[in-house]
Amino acid sequence: MSLPTLRQLAMQSLLEDQALAISALDVLPLDLFSTLCREVVAKRRMEVLKAMVQAWPFACLPLGALVGSADLEILQVTLEGLDVLLEQGAGPRCKLQVLDLQNMSLNIWTSGYIAMSQACSAAALTDKPAANHCAALREEPSFRIFLDVTISDGPWDCVLAHVLQWAETRRDQVQLCSKKLQVLFASTSGSTSQIQSTLGVLHLDSIQELVVDDFWHHKTLESMVPYLTQMKNLRKLSLAKMKMECCSCILENLLKYLSEVVLHGNRQINECEGFFPHEKLEKVFSQLKHLRLRTVYLGDLGPGPLRALLERVSGTLEALAIEHCGITEAQLSAILPALSQCSQLSFFSIYGNRMSLAALQNLLSHTARLRQLQRGLYPAPVESYDHECLLYGCEVNKERFAQVCVSLVQILRDLQPAHKVQICTYSCTGCKKNQFYNLAPSDSWVLTEEYSLTRDFNYCGVCAQE
């Protein structure tokens, strides 16, 4: 058995005597801080951990990479150390500015003190903040906490609740930041209060990705929408599985709001329809790059709001998905000119919507002009299914689909799109399958991907009655 190194012996001595470990922090070599902290957390030496927070010689303490986001005791001790730091000021060695609770790779703790010294999540608030927001971002508080936040109707996350309560009482000293915010609700019970209590504490400028999923009632969405005005660095917006009663009115107003406030320079809107009467709204979403609408019913809405939104994000949008949204051919035709202006678009998906072969050909003629587009996912035209099957979810008719594929080969020959075109077909909901086909060099369509469906995509009238 190999003998322990002097470093290992020193660590063992420090961990056995908490008073010695605390007193040694003032002279501890920088390259030992990460190693000691890992051992302190693993062996639950809480007093040493609290002292290490007050003497941390790096700008960022990436605690989330070390313990995840479920260790409430470690978090409480860490925040106690921060309390002392905020009240008494930093010591001669302490450079701590950011507590990072995001789940990250453990590599940062094993790559040496140089990697630790270069890690600071404050720089990740926004990669390229909008010019008119730079001044505001420079007005930083003395401390920031980063974590990914999920608001849901499940059991209240004890760690999140503790951080929210702690940060709320220290607003003048601490900024609570979240790059990714998820709002996931299947009911309305308590949802409004949870949304307001969480978003009221978060620094909304820090949010770059917003996921809104599984809303049953418009009241839940209404409670969240006003906070959108402050998400000035939002880049990814995903709305999924919004129920019909929510979509009919709420979504139209939301799309109108988005279309009116993005890419307006410093112009302020004095009044907006729907949720925003008599509010002055500054530009938001000026860096929107990803927009995803999935199982968000659009069939009853006019095309104006979506068309206007696409026009205003045409210079930044890189990924657009409108999937299983019931979009009509009339709506599609109305937004095609705006879609053609999205010069930065690299990914486009519109499968799951009813579309004739003529409409698909028209769509392809527009997307073929997008030189940055690399991949497009399109639905198999309605001619691929039996005539009595009016909605997607029914099983594809292989003979009809084969005939459609021949026509598609000729269409793509004529258009010569630069991006990879994939066509999606559906089996009945009982089989719960959909398939993606690629065009091979031999001009034959090859099945490349197959996915299981869920009941959320139940479009077959026959299956729906079962």
Side-chain angles (χ1 to χ4, degrees):
M1 188 173 72
S2 60
L3 294 174
T5 65
L6 288 176
R7 178 190 292 255
Q8 292 171 335
L9 290 172
M11 288 293 173
Q12 181 179 344
S13 176
L14 291 174
L15 292 170
E16 290 175 353
D17 189 337
Q18 293 199 83
L20 175 62
I22 293 173
S23 65
L25 293 177
D26 290 336
V27 294
L28 190 71
L30 291 181
D31 60 342
L32 293 184
F33 260 86
S34 296
T35 305
L36 179 61
C37 189
R38 288 172 58 193
E39 293 297 324
V40 163
V41 169
K43 297 186 182 307
R44 320 292 290 185
R45 301 293 193 262
M46 297 305 182
E47 290 301 317
V48 181
L49 176 60
K50 187 193 286 190
M52 290 196 78
V53 172
Q54 301 167 51
W56 194 250
F58 309 110
C60 177
L61 175 56
L63 193 64
L66 189 60
V67 299
S69 58
D71 197 322
L72 181 58
E73 184 183 13
I74 290 292
L75 175 66
Q76 289 173 329
V77 171
T78 301
L79 294 181
E80 289 174 7
L82 289 180
D83 275 330
V84 177
L85 187 61
L86 294 173
E87 291 173 5
Q88 301 180 3
R93 301 195 76 184
C94 183
K95 297 180 180 178
L96 188 58
Q97 298 176 357
V98 173
L99 173 62
D100 195 339
L101 300 177
Q102 299 172 111
N103 289 323
M104 300 183 300
S105 169
L106 187 64
N107 289 343
I108 193 171
W109 286 95
T110 59
S111 300
Y113 79 96
I114 295 180
M116 184 67 73
S117 66
Q118 294 174 345
C120 183
S121 293
L125 174 60
T126 174
D127 295 337
K128 295 180 181 178
N132 58 320
H133 299 313
C134 287
L137 293 177
R138 281 194 296 266
E139 297 173 1
E140 299 175 356
S142 58
F143 201 83
R144 284 181 177 171
I145 297 179
F146 278 79
L147 76 166
D148 291 330
V149 174
T150 297
I151 313 171
S152 71
D153 55 0
W156 188 243
D157 186 287
C158 59
V159 170
L160 175 60
H162 189 81
V163 174
L164 286 171
Q165 183 179 16
W166 185 87
E168 187 174 16
T169 60
R170 297 160 180 82
R171 287 176 178 270
D172 57 335
Q173 296 175 291
V174 176
Q175 216 170 57
L176 184 57
C177 302
S178 178
K179 292 179 65 178
K180 181 177 182 179
L181 171 65
Q182 297 186 90
V183 185
L184 316 174
F185 278 101
S187 69
T188 60
S189 176
S191 59
T192 299
S193 61
Q194 287 190 39
I195 290 172
Q196 292 175 339
S197 62
T198 303
L199 298 187
V201 180
L202 280 180
H203 179 56
L204 300 178
D205 245 5
S206 66
I207 298 172
Q208 297 184 18
E209 180 176 358
L210 173 61
V211 177
V212 181
D213 199 337
D214 210 12
F215 269 9
W216 281 88
H217 197 274
H218 69 275
K219 292 293 184 183
T220 308
L221 183 57
E222 284 184 13
S223 65
M224 189 197 71
V225 169
Y227 295 98
L228 291 170
T229 62
Q230 301 173 56
M231 299 181 188
K232 299 183 177 68
N233 289 293
L234 192 64
R235 297 187 178 185
K236 297 183 181 180
L237 174 62
S238 175
L239 306 178
K241 293 188 287 185
M242 297 175 69
K243 302 304 181 282
M244 288 291 294
E245 61 180 289
C246 181
C247 294
S248 59
C249 174
I250 303 300
L251 183 62
E252 183 169 11
N253 282 301
L254 177 59
L255 290 175
K256 283 182 180 180
Y257 162 65
L258 295 177
S259 68
E260 289 174 357
V261 298
V262 297
L263 295 183
H264 272 291
N266 292 322
R267 172 184 167 191
Q268 288 187 330
I269 309 298
N270 293 323
E271 188 172 326
C272 278
E273 295 180 17
F275 306 120
F276 311 103
H278 314 298
E279 265 193 295
K280 292 184 176 181
L281 303 176
E282 297 181 359
K283 178 186 76 171
V284 296
F285 310 141
S286 62
Q287 301 179 93
L288 187 64
K289 293 185 177 182
H290 299 255
L291 176 61
R292 181 184 185 221
L293 303 175
R294 182 165 187 154
T295 58
V296 179
Y297 186 70
L298 300 174
D300 293 337
L301 305 180
L306 182 56
R307 180 180 59 215
L309 176 59
L310 292 179
E311 289 173 349
R312 286 164 173 77
V313 299
S314 60
T316 60
L317 196 64
E318 296 177 1
L320 173 64
I322 308 173
E323 301 165 352
H324 297 277
C325 292
I327 191 169
T328 66
E329 291 189 5
Q331 291 172 316
L332 177 62
S333 178
I335 67 172
L336 283 181
L339 180 63
S340 300
Q341 298 175 27
C342 296
S343 58
Q344 302 303 310
L345 201 64
S346 62
F347 174 82
F348 174 63
S349 176
I350 196 169
Y351 75 88
N353 298 286
R354 178 181 171 83
M355 193 177 302
S356 68
L357 179 59
L360 178 57
Q361 180 177 3
N362 189 26
L363 173 59
L364 288 168
S365 69
H366 283 74
T367 56
R369 305 169 194 167
L370 299 173
R371 294 306 169 194
Q372 299 297 322
L373 190 60
Q374 299 176 14
R375 186 185 183 198
L377 308 182
Y378 303 91
V382 293
E383 289 86 351
S384 306
Y385 300 86
D386 292 327
H387 291 304
E388 60 269 19
C389 183
L390 300 178
L391 297 176
Y392 281 131
C394 297
E395 186 173 2
V396 66
N397 184 307
K398 294 182 180 179
E399 293 181 359
R400 289 179 178 274
F401 180 57
Q403 295 172 358
V404 167
C405 285
V406 173
S407 300
L408 285 174
V409 168
Q410 185 59 51
I411 289 172
L412 294 176
R413 265 193 208 146
D414 295 338
L415 295 175
Q416 295 185 344
H419 67 285
K420 181 171 75 172
V421 173
Q422 290 184 283
I423 301 298
C424 178
T425 64
Y426 300 88
S427 301
C428 81
T429 315
C431 301
K432 298 183 179 181
K433 296 286 186 182
N434 61 355
Q435 303 87 21
F436 288 89
Y437 289 85
N438 285 1
L439 184 60
S442 61
D443 284 345
S444 61
W445 291 90
V446 179
L447 177 63
T448 55
E449 300 172 71
E450 188 171 46
Y451 297 101
S452 296
L453 296 173
T454 68
R455 288 289 175 178
D456 292 320
F457 308 119
N458 194 344
Y459 289 101
C460 178
V462 175
C463 294
Q465 296 173 4
E466 295 180 353

